[in-house]
């Protein structure tokens, strides 16, 4: 295991336009994986636009991995159906946290960097990484892959020790 960088708080906010996997709807939940750590949200019954607002925590270590997400439809009598997957590169938020330490930003709200959608990520739209009262925060919309439609909104917070003033 590498150097510990801090606590990664992932708030699974909501899903939009998820695919139907049951007769008329789906019972979605999200599984998040970071390295060998796994967490999952609660199941939202009969909903294609679920709101979870659920916080899941991970320990962030070097080397950085990708935050992987999979959405499933909960089924009682058979295995759960896949409803898409996505990933988020954590390098931009870690770089922004290092920049926050260099700039010694600790109060108010400051935009540290922007991440734009491209072929190397699942972003739906541009995402800002901000320092909000000392916390490094990124709000993202991720497009689900492997399915006809679906997006997930996440809020990522990286809680790291602030470097002491020298």
């Amino acid at each position: 295991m590498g150097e510990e960088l801090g606590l990664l708080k992932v708030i699974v906010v909501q899903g939009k336009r998820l695919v139907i996997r049951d007769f008329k709807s789906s019972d979605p939940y999200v599984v998040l994986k970071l390295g060998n750590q796994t967490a999952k949200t609660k199941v939202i019954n009969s909903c294609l636009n679920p709101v979870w607002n659920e916080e899941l925590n991970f320990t962030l270590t070097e080397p950085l991995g990708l935050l992987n997400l999979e959405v499933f439809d909960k089924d009682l009598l058979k295995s759960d159906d896949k409803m898409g997957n996505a990933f988020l590169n954590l390098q931009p938020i870690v770089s922004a946290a290092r920049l926050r330490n260099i700039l010694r930003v600790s109060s108010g709200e400051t935009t540290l960097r922007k991440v734009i959608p491209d072929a190397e990520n699942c972003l739906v739209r541009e995402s800002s990484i901000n320092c909000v009262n000392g916390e490094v925060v990124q709000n993202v919309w991720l497009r689900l892959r492997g399915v006809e439609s679906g997006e997930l909104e996440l809020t990522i917070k990286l809680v790291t020790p602030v470097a002491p003033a020298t």
Side-chain angles (χ1 to χ4, degrees):
M1 211 59 168
E3 176 191 353
E4 191 168 312
L5 298 174
L7 178 67
L8 187 73
K9 295 182 177 186
V10 180
I11 301 160
V12 181
V13 179
Q14 65 178 324
K16 269 187 3 187
R17 297 188 305 276
L18 300 182
V19 293
I20 295 172
R21 289 292 182 247
D22 291 335
F23 182 61
K24 288 184 179 174
S25 189
S26 293
D27 306 312
Y29 66 93
V30 183
V31 176
L32 294 90
K33 292 181 182 170
L34 180 62
N36 60 1
Q37 304 170 78
T38 302
K40 77 179 217 182
T41 66
K42 63 185 178 275
V43 175
I44 306 286
N45 291 320
S46 301
C47 191
L48 300 177
N49 296 295
V51 175
W52 286 281
N53 278 328
E54 202 168 327
E55 182 179 297
L56 306 166
N57 296 318
F58 298 90
T59 302
L60 193 59
T61 56
E62 290 275 12
L64 285 176
L66 295 173
L67 178 66
N68 288 293
L69 305 96
E70 280 192 281
V71 183
F72 291 95
D73 169 41
K74 183 74 178 158
D75 285 322
L76 292 175
L77 303 175
K78 57 187 177 80
S79 61
D80 294 350
D81 298 313
K82 291 185 177 184
M83 296 177 68
N85 64 74
F87 65 89
L88 181 66
N89 183 353
L90 298 174
Q91 188 62 55
I93 196 168
V94 171
S95 297
R98 289 183 178 131
L99 179 62
R100 178 216 43 199
N101 288 345
I102 292 167
L103 299 175
R104 305 211 188 295
V105 178
S106 60
S107 62
E109 184 168 340
T110 305
T111 298
L112 298 169
R113 99 178 261 189
K114 292 188 184 292
V115 185
I116 58 170
D118 64 25
E120 300 298 311
N121 64 39
C122 295
L123 294 177
V124 173
R125 59 182 71 98
E126 183 179 275
S127 170
S128 294
I129 302 174
N130 301 310
C131 182
V132 181
N133 297 322
E135 280 191 321
V136 180
V137 180
Q138 181 179 16
N139 291 311
V140 295
W141 276 97
L142 300 175
R143 179 171 287 111
L144 295 176
R145 302 179 305 162
V147 288
E148 309 81 66
S149 69
E151 297 174 2
L152 282 182
E153 181 186 8
L154 305 177
T155 299
I156 311 292
K157 293 182 182 181
L158 179 54
V159 182
T160 58
V162 176
T166 52

